[in-house]
Amino acid sequence: MENGKKKTGIMGGTFNPVHIGHLLLAENARETFELDEILFVPSGLSYMKKGMEMADKRMRLEMTRLAITDNPFFALSPVEVEREGNSYTYETLEALRAAEPETMFYLIVGADSLFAMETWKHPEAIFKNCAVLAAVRSGSGCEDLEIQIARLEGKYGTEIRRIPMDEIPVSSTDIRNRIHQGKSIRYMVPGNVIAYIEKHRLYTG
């Protein structure tokens, strides 16, 4: 708690499927910034992922639940899955803020997202309702990134902090391709999630 307020990190994404990279980023953010909780928020219908091979939203919610079940600091929110239509980050943040007005929210993103967030729907509402924690590769001093952080902080009056993070060579796209090819995804995805994928024959084409 900071000043008596709960500190919650928000880990959003399609989680198609969830993998160790997501989990390591969330745990690193929690530990680095002493967050009380990390809230995983699988997207319902992502307008930015149209055309992608996408597992059903309820299945992605369940895979995420399975992946985080052994971490007492991780929690799951179905807010986007239960919402009809496209999933928008600003709407999710407004809903979370309305439910917990005293909580301090921190949106966890990859560094690349800092160059895209102004194209998201109502970016001003996003920055108004949370601080941003951006995963930055350890030892990288990208001048363009530092300029972008300073610009966003100045324009929106937001706070952007860096999560030092080594690059993790795992992606949901690579995992889906490996499943298509009949290759192992062991150690890339939690074992109980692999069992769920196999049981429901997800991403087999």
Side-chain angles (χ1 to χ4, degrees):
M1 299 279 181
E2 185 171 299
N3 299 324
K5 292 187 176 182
K6 180 181 176 183
K7 295 168 63 178
T8 296
I10 300 169
M11 187 80 184
T14 52
F15 302 126
N16 186 43
V18 63
H19 56 69
I20 61 163
H22 299 129
L23 303 175
L24 287 169
L25 173 56
E27 182 70 356
N28 198 7
R30 183 193 69 79
E31 191 169 54
T32 300
F33 296 100
E34 299 180 335
L35 304 179
D36 299 297
E37 175 185 67
I38 301 291
L39 190 62
F40 282 73
V41 186
S43 64
L45 178 62
S46 177
Y47 68 101
M48 291 186 287
K49 303 286 187 177
K50 288 183 178 176
M52 176 189 291
E53 179 186 18
M54 189 76 71
D56 176 80
K57 61 184 182 180
R58 296 282 175 188
M59 288 183 159
R60 290 185 286 107
L61 183 73
E62 177 61 13
M63 285 190 284
T64 307
R65 186 193 69 76
L66 290 169
I68 68 174
T69 190
D70 64 345
N71 190 324
F73 296 103
F74 287 177
L76 182 66
S77 171
V79 60
E80 291 193 0
V81 167
E82 292 176 350
R83 183 189 303 141
E84 295 299 322
N86 288 334
S87 294
Y88 295 113
T89 300
Y90 88 94
E91 287 184 328
T92 298
L93 286 168
E94 288 179 344
L96 294 174
R97 170 72 61 204
E100 297 185 31
E102 296 302 314
T103 295
M104 299 171 64
F105 290 104
Y106 298 81
L107 183 65
I108 302 168
V109 301
D112 290 349
S113 292
L114 295 178
F115 294 95
M117 287 180 73
E118 287 183 289
T119 69
W120 298 2
K121 198 170 182 70
H122 295 308
E124 72 287 348
I126 296 173
F127 291 120
K128 174 185 174 183
N129 283 297
C130 68
V132 176
L133 305 181
V136 178
R137 191 165 53 198
S138 298
S140 74
C142 175
E143 184 178 353
D144 289 345
L145 178 62
E146 296 304 318
I147 291 171
Q148 179 69 351
I149 288 174
R151 192 183 72 78
L152 291 174
E153 288 183 327
K155 181 176 180 179
Y156 295 99
T158 190
E159 177 188 11
I160 299 174
R161 302 175 72 179
R162 299 154 189 78
I163 310 169
M165 189 84 185
D166 290 328
E167 187 172 5
I168 302 166
V170 178
S171 73
S172 295
T173 299
D174 182 39
I175 289 166
R176 293 194 303 272
N177 287 339
R178 291 181 69 85
I179 294 172
H180 273 299
Q181 297 162 14
K183 293 182 178 179
S184 171
I185 57 171
R186 184 176 292 178
Y187 310 123
M188 303 171 76
V189 176
N192 54 1
V193 177
I194 293 175
Y196 185 90
I197 289 171
E198 291 175 346
K199 177 181 177 181
H200 296 280
R201 298 185 56 79
L202 299 181
Y203 313 117
T204 59

